[in-house]
Amino acid sequence: MESLTNTDSTSTAHTSRLRQARNAVDSQPSAGKTPESELMEVDEYFEILRKRVNDYYDSLQGQD
């Protein structure tokens, strides 16, 4: 029985690049999770966002 070899260099290169990308991701240190006490509440976030939007529109109206 004859053994078959893959001579397509593009699939080999593609596989190598995928393997390198996976290894790069795996080798990066994990950032860890933010402690619960440092997380912002959803309502708090949208309150800050609403204030920024209102301030922005107020500044636009003042430019006329």
Side-chain angles (χ1 to χ4, degrees), residues 10-44:
T10 57
S11 66
T12 304
H14 182 69
T15 303
S16 296
R17 278 184 260 137
L18 286 174
R19 188 172 295 132
Q20 288 172 352
R22 285 186 196 136
N23 289 342
V25 169
D26 292 341
S27 66
Q28 293 177 353
S30 63
K33 292 187 176 183
T34 303
E36 187 76 24
S37 62
E38 293 182 17
L39 294 176
M40 186 182 295
E41 294 287 325
V42 174
D43 291 338
E44 182 182 0

Side-chain angles (χ1 to χ4, degrees), residues 1 12 35 45-46 53 58 60:
M1 200 177 220
T12 304
Y45 172 80
F46 282 108
V53 169
D58 289 343
L60 287 179

